[in-house]
């Protein structure tokens, strides 16, 4: 309700003062190329709330859980720092498309975090083919199929372990598995898949890589303030997030790169 009220305030300002450079302004004044129609105020508000949820909650939750896993797995944290030293020596301090692309190990770290802690909810698809059969069961056309992303990751034969340790934030956190085709997970869909795959995926990757690369360059080490961090997770969360967040005590790097 608070967010909706802030969007409404902005729309009133746009009605009074006209268009500006904001994303909300572009949504509000956009017109359909064929009909010339604009979205209703409710449609604009709904789309704005989706952008807030998908554009901030997702990346921030992933950064939180990734930071937690690196705090619990110091060898992997050291590897992230070592990679960043090499990248700075090669490309300089500025974050560029090339320096971000060269964060190969950091890429594996984020992929592994998203494998273990992806979307908590499910994705939905309407069945368009009357001949769809899954495990011997026919799914009628126009029915809604629900896809459980976390369960898909859990059951992946490439990583599955009967005791469930492959999904543990300590025992199961193995970024190296992404660096070899023989150990690479076969199922991975934190951004969805198909025509409805997340439209902001590339932006999210850039944001997360820049954030974690800067952390690795400027912080020598960080310790968890709460010893039981990661034992309890926020209920009904869009993405997994520790109940009390990830509070840390950081030690600044002697030489900041």
């Amino acid at each position: 309700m608070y967010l909706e009220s802030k969007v409404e305030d902005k729309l009133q300002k746009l009605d009074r003062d006209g268009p500006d450079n904001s994303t909300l302004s572009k949504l509000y004044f956009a017109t359909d190329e064929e009909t010339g129609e604009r979205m209703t105020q409710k449609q604009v508000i709904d789309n704005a709330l989706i952008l807030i949820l998908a554009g901030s909650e997702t990346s921030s939750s992933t950064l939180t859980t990734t930071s937690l896993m690196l705090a619990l797995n110091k060898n992997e944290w050291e590897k992230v720092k070592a990679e960043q030293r090499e990248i700075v020596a090669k490309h300089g301090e500025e974050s560029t498309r090339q320096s971000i692309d060269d964060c190969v190990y950091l890429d594996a770290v984020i992929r592994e975090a998203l494998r273990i802690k992806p979307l908590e909810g499910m994705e939905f698809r309407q069945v368009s083919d009357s001949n769809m059969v899954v495990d011997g069961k026919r799914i009628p056309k126009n029915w809604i199929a629900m896809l459980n992303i976390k369960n898909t990751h859990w059951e992946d034969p490439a990583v599955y372990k009967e005791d469930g340790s492959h999904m543990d934030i300590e025992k199961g956190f193995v970024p190296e598995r992404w660096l070899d085709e023989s150990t690479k997970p076969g199922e991975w869909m934190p951004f969805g898949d198909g025509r409805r795959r997340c439209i902001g995926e590339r932006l999210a990757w850039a944001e997360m890589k820049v954030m974690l690369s800067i952390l690795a360059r400027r912080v020598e080490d960080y310790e968890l303030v709460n010893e039981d961090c990661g034992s309890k997770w926020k209920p009904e969360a869009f993405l997994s997030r520790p109940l009390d967040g990830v509070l840390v005590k950081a030690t600044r790097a002697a030489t900041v790169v």
Side-chain angles (χ1 to χ4, degrees):
M1 291 174 64
Y2 171 76
L3 290 174
E4 187 170 335
S5 70
K6 300 304 288 185
V7 174
E8 288 174 342
D9 289 345
K10 177 65 175 179
L11 294 182
Q12 291 177 7
K13 186 175 185 300
L14 291 171
D15 280 332
R16 183 181 67 249
D17 302 334
D20 58 26
N21 292 323
S22 67
T23 300
L24 194 57
S25 175
K26 293 175 182 178
L27 278 174
Y28 193 41
F29 293 106
T31 58
D32 186 279
E33 292 181 355
E34 295 182 358
T35 66
E37 294 181 351
R38 287 168 52 182
M39 288 191 288
T40 65
Q41 180 168 310
K42 184 179 186 307
Q43 289 173 328
V44 172
I45 292 173
D46 289 345
N47 276 277
L49 295 179
I50 289 174
L51 288 174
I52 292 171
L53 174 66
S56 61
E57 178 69 14
T58 50
S59 297
S60 64
S61 293
T62 301
L63 285 169
T64 300
T65 55
T66 304
S67 299
L68 169 61
M69 293 182 201
L70 287 172
L72 295 172
N73 297 274
K74 293 300 183 181
N75 288 337
E76 285 67 26
W77 169 242
E78 292 299 327
K79 292 176 183 178
V80 170
K81 291 195 299 178
E83 181 180 64
Q84 288 307 308
R85 287 194 293 269
E86 294 176 0
I87 288 174
V88 170
K90 180 179 179 181
H91 298 291
E93 298 178 14
E94 185 178 357
S95 293
T96 64
R97 174 66 180 271
Q98 188 58 57
S99 68
I100 291 174
D101 287 346
D102 283 354
C103 294
V104 177
Y105 188 75
L106 182 57
D107 185 279
V109 164
I110 299 172
R111 287 180 183 277
E112 184 69 346
L114 283 168
R115 182 188 68 79
I116 297 173
K117 292 294 183 181
L119 284 169
E120 286 293 334
M122 292 178 280
E123 289 203 7
F124 303 86
R125 297 288 188 274
Q126 185 175 33
V127 178
S128 59
D129 188 346
S130 59
N131 296 316
M132 177 173 283
V133 177
V134 178
D135 289 338
K137 308 259 185 206
R138 184 178 301 279
I139 303 178
K141 185 177 181 179
N142 295 326
W143 276 35
I144 300 298
M146 296 181 292
L147 316 175
N148 190 310
I149 295 174
K150 178 176 281 189
N151 192 60
T152 299
H153 289 187
W154 187 292
E155 298 291 342
D156 182 2
V159 299
Y160 180 78
K161 290 188 177 180
E162 191 171 346
D163 62 359
S165 61
H166 61 298
M167 300 296 283
D168 185 84
I169 58 176
E170 290 187 72
K171 297 177 183 178
F173 185 67
V174 186
E176 285 77 9
R177 72 169 88 245
W178 291 94
L179 305 178
D180 191 319
E181 287 297 325
S182 65
T183 59
K184 189 176 180 180
E187 303 293 344
W188 190 79
M189 49 184 298
F191 293 96
D193 209 354
R195 290 183 296 176
R196 293 187 178 272
R197 191 179 179 98
C198 176
I199 194 173
E201 180 177 358
R202 291 183 180 275
L203 175 60
W205 273 114
E207 290 175 336
M208 293 187 291
K209 282 187 174 182
V210 168
M211 164 61 192
L212 291 171
S213 63
I214 291 176
L215 179 71
R217 296 176 189 184
R218 298 186 179 181
V219 172
E220 180 63 30
D221 199 5
Y222 61 96
E223 301 291 337
L224 297 174
V225 173
N226 298 333
E227 294 183 359
D228 63 344
C229 185
S231 62
K232 297 179 180 179
W233 296 79
K234 188 175 180 180
E236 300 179 2
F238 185 64
L239 258 82
S240 296
R241 184 190 289 261
L243 183 61
D244 297 323
V246 179
L247 300 177
V248 302
K249 179 179 180 181
T251 303
R252 185 179 177 87
T255 302
V256 180
V257 295

